[in-house]
Amino acid sequence: MLETNFANNLFKNPFMNASGVHCMTVEEMDQLAKSEAGAFITKSATIAQRKGNPKPRYRSLDLGSINSMGLPNEGIDYYLDYALQKQEEQDVPIFFSIAGMSPDENIQMLEKIEKSSFKGITELNLSCPNVPGKPQAAYDFEATDAILARIFAFFKKPLGIKLPPYFDLAHFDAMADVLNKYPLTYINSINSVGNGLFIDTDKEQVVIKPKNGFGGIGGEYVKPTALANVRAFYTRLNPSIQIIGTGGITSGRDAFEHLLCGASMLQVGTQLQKEGVPVFDRLSRELKEIMTEKGYDHIEQFRGKLKEM
Ligand code: ERO
């Protein structure tokens, strides 16, 4: 009932983790591989291992989360070695996330992936909001165009990009014009809403240490923004570019809404952090219940078919 076609593969359901959550170590990734998730993605990698920002750098909130992790990761070789080994054990592809600190670092990592025997899907994260001094790359349309031109001159494996949220129709138009020039497999909208500020009123204090308390917001707070981004790109991108919907998925109903907007796969970050891997079982069950109530037996019967008034 929840089978999903994505990047020419059939997944048992559209649910996966959002990169960064429950995917830093081999142990966590193995748990995802064994879970009810339809697929999983690795933590965004840089060439060298990184410790990330000082703690506390993540806070769970009633309506979501705030984080300023600062791209802690074990380095690309750790994740690539794991993916090369794991891909032999499973019949669906692994999603592999990279987030270089510069265009050259991204090119270097993509060259490595291209030359390797990796058979999965690569996600280029152009939207990390939390590295001090490094603006989110995909807010610069010309720089995004330039890096994609460099990449597609040599990279032949399936590639998606993780985007930050946009808030203006002119920006959706401009970014879609850039993306439509390239043979992207997918876009993933949205990364966390960058540089929010959560305050503990009792203590009159911020709740995370890095960047004076500023951090990426996820969870229920961001669902309307996430849905708008999925919908805006679904109605602007070439149909060959699929969409992963990420942002505010806490229930089967939220998942249904992302699918109605046109998403093909669905990533769960904040709620996975709160609930652990059993979340995938619950979301699958709840999505099936809604589909049954509405008389749908396949996602394709309603995917993208949001009605206007
Ligand atoms: O701080 C991070 O490691 C991080 N947090 C996010 O919310 N999104 C990211 O893309 C990211 C780093 C790549």
Side-chain angles (χ1 to χ4, degrees), residues 234-245:
Y234 183 75
T235 53
R236 284 169 176 75
L237 292 179
N238 301 332
S240 58
I241 305 178
Q242 291 184 285
I243 299 177
I244 298 183

Side-chain angles (χ1 to χ4, degrees), residues 19 43-44 53 67-72 99 125 127-131 162 191-192 216:
S19 180
K43 169 66 186 172
S44 294
N53 292 338
N67 89 84
S68 184
M69 305 299 288
L71 202 35
N125 181 354
S127 47
C128 180
N130 299 332
V131 179
K162 178 85 171 265
N191 206 321
S192 53

Side-chain angles (χ1 to χ4, degrees), residues 35-57:
S35 77
E36 276 305 308
F40 71 93
I41 186 164
T42 58
K43 169 66 186 172
S44 294
T46 48
I47 292 176
Q49 189 257 10
R50 285 173 56 86
K51 294 212 180 310
N53 292 338
K55 294 177 182 172
R57 57 193 184 181

Side-chain angles (χ1 to χ4, degrees), residues 144 151 195 252 297 305:
T144 301
I151 291 167
N195 297 296
D297 43 30
K305 299 195 175 139

